[in-house]
């Protein structure tokens, strides 16, 4: 904050805690890390990344400004930002210089003059009772501190002059001179290379664009067949736009492909990092998981709604007529633009290096930077997913800056606009919901304008989006009076699992000594729950009562149970780690969660509904894990572990940093969302890609987790 209005005049008492290094520890938890001193009182507490005692002090006392005693940062809780300005009297600058001098002093040691430097906070009552003597000693402390700094500077100059006359000093100076000369030579060589690159770039820009004979013949034949026998002004306009876009994109392709260093696949497909654009780790983790789900990825690699939406926009604006010839021209752009869309997001490219292997986004020379605006004039999440998945699984880029995807999310999902920290579970639900709406809208608007093959593909992708996470729950209510069972089918797209009551604690010892099993949380989700009191109106108990009778409805006691009656292809398990502990406070349940690579869902299913399924249909294999690191609900960091089916290994996706890992490392993560893929699908009985539990090992491990809860939980 450049202009904070809450920095007033500082009036610190002589015994203030900020002037005594021996009091630089939290008054509540006694920690010495990230210590913040209140500038309105003598309270000292820890920061928000430790135990948040400083924030609690602000909420109780309304003292907004605090100073970090070690790094000398000033933070305003009312502005919720760091303070960069000072007040009119310059108190913050004076306070920082005073603290620097205090930290440089050697407390409880005797100086050359024979007196002891003492901290003002350690003085006894008799010493503090003499105001004049206290002020005199404080002035003497400052004088000796300044004198010590002066003597150190003078002695430094003397020793440097003496060092130049010794053989060792001459050798050191000679080495420094050689290093400076080597640095000058490197700078000159670097400047020559940069100048040569600028000259080559200027020459390439002056050269006319080259086209292969095959592409020229294709354009010539398509123009002859499409423009004859009528050449209406609308047709001419569309063809001119087609030629212009094709030439510009071909020129961009030629500039990339004709570079002195030819780009070739140097990374494993799918091992592409996503740069954090400002608290976007929640989006990067979800996109990495979706791209590693084989069924989801293959659908969006085939489907691109950009051209379809252009046709619909043209029809909406009245530019499309019933002429079949114009529709064929517009449809022909689908085939020509296929090569253009592969490089739509690559407007800013960094040349790749020749190193091969799993770079995991560490090499900046293989970074693809998307434009600041969406890559299509028609904002489409499906198109951005198509473009992003193509880049991530091309094996050519180690790092992508997804600006276009971020701005599309901002425009279509306003709740996630800005750079605030968000919840990954909420973002995943909103993203899938918007993608589903977009596919439904595109498939139903002007179906005659969309080619039959495109309509069929949209229908297939919509079917996958609707069914990949879709399952059904059987809600069964049993009357305890007549044992009548009432069944209701409820759809679900994820299962939010609660922790048992004994794990609702904040202590670090409890969270490390008593792990919680994932199967225990599933058992709690499907356990029989008794309804409180007589609140259930049983149909069988009220059969003898007439519909319009004046007699009251008979209410009985009942119990309720949830069971899975239809299994999804990909099972999402959301661990609810946050619970309300006050009016506006949510505390985290830091309990170790243990789960296996293979999950058997048969004990949690309704056996009557799924009795015809094969035993392998109940077996799920771990595909991805989304983690949340941190101790607070509104803070922290998201990463993801994903199983790469192309390479047959696990990879840790931490924004731009990607690393190969083993199941042991996955089991130490802080799980928030677990993704399990069905080994044998119910529809066709085909098995999926070999999973880590069968391809690597059959061992069962545990996973420690600390995650963020969905705000609706």
């Amino acid at each position: 904050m450049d202009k904070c209005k809450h920095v007033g005049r500082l009036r610190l008492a002589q015994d203030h805690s900020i002037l005594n290094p021996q009091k630089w520890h939290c008054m509540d938890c006694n920690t010495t890390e990230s210590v913040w001193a209140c500038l309105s009182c003598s309270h000292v507490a820890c920061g928000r990344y430790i135990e948040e005692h400083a924030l609690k002090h602000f909420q109780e006392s309304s003292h907004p400004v605090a100073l970090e005693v070690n790094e000398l940062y000033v933070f305003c809780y009312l502005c919720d930002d760091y303070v960069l300005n000072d007040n009119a009297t310059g108190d913050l600058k004076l306070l920082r210089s005073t603290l620097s001098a205090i930290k440089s002093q050697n407390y409880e040691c005797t100086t050359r003059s024979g007196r002891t430097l003492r901290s003002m906070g350690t003085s006894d009552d008799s010493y503090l009772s003499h105001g004049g003597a206290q002020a005199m000693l404080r002035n003497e402390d400052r004088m000796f501190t300044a004198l010590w700094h002066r003597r150190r500077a003078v002695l430094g100059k003397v020793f440097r002059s003496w060092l130049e006359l010794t053989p060792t000093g001459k050798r050191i100076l000679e080495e420094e001179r050689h290093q400076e000369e080597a640095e000058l030579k490197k700078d000159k060589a670097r400047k020559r290379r940069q100048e040569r690159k600028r000259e080559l770039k200027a020459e390439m820009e002056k050269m006319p664009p080259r086209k292969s004979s095959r592409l020229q013949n294709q354009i010539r034949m398509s123009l002859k067949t499409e423009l004859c026998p009528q050449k209406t002004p609308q047709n001419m306009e569309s063809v001119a736009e087609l030629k212009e876009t094709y030439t510009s994109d071909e020129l961009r392709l030629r500039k990339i492909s004709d570079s002195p260093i030819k780009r070739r696949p140097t990374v494993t497909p799918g091992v592409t990092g996503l740069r954090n654009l400002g608290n976007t780790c929640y989006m990067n983790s979800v996109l990495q998981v979706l791209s590693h789900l084989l069924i989801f990825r293959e659908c969006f690699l085939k489907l691109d709604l950009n051209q379809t939406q252009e046709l619909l926009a043209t029809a909406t604006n009245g530019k499309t007529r019933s002429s079949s010839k114009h529709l064929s021209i517009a449809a022909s752009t689908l085939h020509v633009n296929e090569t253009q869309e592969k490089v739509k997001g690559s407007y800013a490219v960094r040349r790749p290096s020749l190193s091969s292997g799993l770079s995991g986004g560490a090499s900046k020379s293989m970074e693809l930077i998307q434009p600041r605006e969406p890559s299509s004039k028609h904002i489409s999440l499906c198109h951005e997913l198509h473009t992003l998945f193509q880049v991530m699984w091309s094996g050519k880029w180690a790092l992508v800056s997804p600006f276009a995807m971020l701005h599309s999310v901002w425009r279509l999902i306003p709740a996630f606009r800005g750079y605030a920290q968000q919840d990954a579970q909420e973002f995943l639900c909103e993203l899938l919901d918007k993608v589903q709406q977009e596919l439904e809208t595109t498939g139903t608007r002007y179906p005659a304008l969309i080619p039959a093959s495109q309509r069929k593909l949209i229908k297939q992708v919509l079917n996958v989006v609707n069914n990949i996470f879709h399952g059904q729950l059987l809600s069964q209510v049993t009357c305890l009076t007549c044992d009548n069972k009432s069944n209701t089918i409820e759809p679900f797209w994820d299962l939010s699992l609660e922790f048992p009551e004994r794990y609702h604690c904040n202590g670090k010892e409890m969270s490390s000594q008593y792990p919680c099993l994932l199967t225990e949380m599933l058992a709690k989700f499907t356990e029989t729950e008794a309804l409180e009191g007589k609140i259930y109106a049983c149909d069988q108990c009220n059969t003898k009562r007439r519909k319009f009778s004046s007699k009251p409805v008979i209410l009985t006691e009942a119990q309720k149970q949830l069971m899975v009656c239809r299994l999804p292809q990909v099972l999402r398990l959301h661990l609810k780690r946050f619970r309300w502990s006050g009016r506006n406070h949510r505390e985290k349940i830091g309990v170790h969660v243990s789960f296996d690579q293979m999950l058997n869902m048969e004990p949690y299913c309704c056996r009557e509904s799924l009795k015809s399924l094969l035993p392998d249909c109940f077996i799920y294999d771990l595909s991805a894990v989304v983690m949340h690191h941190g101790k607070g609900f509104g803070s922290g960091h998201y990463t993801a572990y994903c199983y790469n089916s192309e390479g047959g290994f696990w990879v840790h996706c931490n924004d731009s940093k990607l690393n190969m890992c083993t199941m042991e490392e996955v089991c130490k993560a802080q799980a928030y969302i677990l993704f399990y893929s069905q080994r044998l699908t119910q529809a066709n009985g085909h098995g999926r890609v070999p999973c880590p539990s069968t391809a690597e090992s059959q061992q069962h491990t545990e996973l420690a987790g600390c995650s963020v809860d969905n705000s609706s939980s």
Side-chain angles (χ1 to χ4, degrees), residues 186-249:
K186 290 181 180 179
D187 291 338
K188 291 180 180 179
R190 189 183 302 109
K191 291 180 181 179
R192 286 197 300 268
R193 289 195 299 269
Q194 293 176 355
E195 184 65 26
R196 181 57 180 168
K197 287 182 180 179
R198 284 194 293 267
E199 293 177 359
L200 291 175
K201 185 178 179 181
E203 292 178 0
M204 293 174 62
E205 291 177 352
K206 293 179 181 178
M207 293 175 60
R210 295 178 296 178
K211 297 181 181 179
S212 64
S213 58
R214 180 178 59 84
L215 293 178
Q216 291 179 353
N217 292 333
Q218 286 182 357
I219 296 176
R220 191 181 300 110
M221 294 300 295
S222 62
L223 292 179
K224 287 181 180 180
T225 55
E226 302 297 339
L227 294 180
C228 294
Q230 295 181 356
K231 295 184 179 181
T232 60
Q234 296 177 355
N235 292 349
M236 293 295 293
E237 180 181 358
S238 62
V239 173
E241 292 178 356
L242 175 62
K243 292 176 65 178
E244 181 180 357
T245 56
Y246 185 80
T247 305
S248 61
D249 288 337

Side-chain angles (χ1 to χ4, degrees), residues 289-560:
V289 170
L290 293 179
S291 72
H292 280 81
L293 294 178
L294 180 62
I295 306 175
F296 194 89
R297 179 180 76 247
E298 287 182 344
C299 291
F300 283 92
L301 285 177
K302 298 176 183 178
L303 176 65
D304 185 9
L305 293 183
N306 187 29
Q307 296 86 1
T308 304
Q309 291 186 347
E310 288 180 359
L311 288 175
L312 297 180
T314 306
T316 305
N317 295 333
K319 295 182 180 179
T320 300
R321 301 294 183 264
S322 59
S323 174
S324 60
K325 294 184 179 297
H326 183 75
L327 290 178
S328 63
I329 293 176
S332 65
T333 61
L334 299 177
H335 174 72
V336 178
N337 286 338
E338 285 180 357
T339 56
Q340 302 175 12
E341 296 303 326
K342 294 181 180 180
V343 293
K344 278 269 187 165
S346 58
Y347 294 161
V349 179
R350 295 181 181 175
R351 301 301 182 194
S353 62
L354 297 179
S355 59
S356 61
L358 178 64
S359 80
S363 175
K364 292 185 178 180
S365 61
M366 298 183 63
E367 180 179 0
L368 184 145
I369 304 176
Q370 288 186 337
R372 296 284 175 169
E373 294 296 328
S375 56
S376 172
K377 61 182 179 181
H378 306 287
I379 302 176
S380 168
L381 289 175
C382 294
H383 170 67
E384 297 303 334
L385 287 174
H386 166 79
T387 305
L388 191 61
F389 287 176
Q390 272 193 335
V391 174
M392 295 174 65
W393 290 88
S394 63
K396 300 176 182 179
W397 308 103
L399 181 60
V400 181
S401 296
F403 284 106
M405 184 69 192
L406 178 63
H407 286 274
S408 298
V409 170
W410 285 359
R411 294 189 183 184
L412 298 178
I413 313 179
F416 293 89
R417 186 175 300 167
Y419 296 99
Q421 293 185 347
Q422 303 286 353
D423 182 27
Q425 168 71 4
E426 294 179 0
F427 174 73
L428 177 58
C429 296
E430 290 289 340
L431 178 65
L432 295 176
D433 184 56
K434 291 296 181 182
V435 169
Q436 179 183 358
Q437 293 179 8
E438 186 176 320
L439 291 171
E440 292 175 349
T441 305
T442 307
T444 55
R445 287 179 57 197
Y446 304 101
L449 300 178
I450 305 175
S453 60
Q454 189 76 355
R455 289 201 306 269
K456 183 178 180 181
L457 185 58
I458 292 176
K459 186 176 180 180
Q460 292 176 355
V461 176
L462 180 59
N463 184 49
V464 170
V465 173
N466 288 336
N467 296 328
I468 185 174
F469 299 111
H470 178 257
Q472 290 181 348
L473 288 174
L474 176 65
S475 177
Q476 187 177 81
V477 181
T478 304
C479 178
L480 298 181
T481 302
C482 62
D483 291 334
N484 180 47
K485 299 182 184 297
S486 175
N487 298 329
T488 304
I489 303 298
E490 301 176 356
F492 74 90
W493 284 265
D494 58 22
L495 298 180
S496 295
L497 306 180
E498 295 183 352
F499 286 85
E501 290 294 333
R502 65 177 179 274
Y503 297 111
H504 289 192
C505 61
N506 289 327
K508 297 181 179 179
E509 297 180 357
M510 293 291 294
S511 63
S512 60
Q513 291 180 0
Y514 302 99
C516 179
L517 298 177
L518 179 64
T519 53
E520 185 179 0
M521 300 176 71
L522 285 169
K524 176 178 173 59
F525 182 82
T526 58
E527 69 179 358
T528 302
E529 177 186 4
L531 303 181
E532 297 181 359
K534 296 182 178 181
I535 60 175
Y536 179 62
C538 178
D539 294 337
Q540 185 169 344
C541 294
N542 290 274
T543 51
K544 297 182 180 180
R545 177 182 174 274
R546 294 181 180 180
K547 184 176 182 180
F548 300 100
S549 174
S550 60
K551 295 181 180 180
V553 178
I554 300 175
L555 299 178
T556 61
E557 296 181 351
Q559 60 185 12
K560 181 180 179 181

Side-chain angles (χ1 to χ4, degrees), residues 22 41 74 79 169 173 179 337 361 373 396 398 417 419 429 482 498 514 536 546 563 583 587 596 622 635 637 643:
Q22 297 181 359
C41 64
V74 179
C79 300
L173 293 176
Q179 290 180 358
N337 286 338
E373 294 296 328
K396 300 176 182 179
R417 186 175 300 167
Y419 296 99
C429 296
C482 62
E498 295 183 352
Y514 302 99
Y536 179 62
R546 294 181 180 180
M563 294 177 291
R583 180 176 296 180
E587 62 182 11
D596 296 331
L622 185 65
S635 61
H637 180 60
Y643 179 70

Side-chain angles (χ1 to χ4, degrees), residues 26 35 65 69 114 118 194 198 259 272 415 480 517 583 674:
C26 179
V35 179
V65 185
V69 296
R118 302 175 59 187
Q194 293 176 355
R198 284 194 293 267
S259 60
T272 301
L480 298 181
L517 298 177
R583 180 176 296 180
L674 301 172

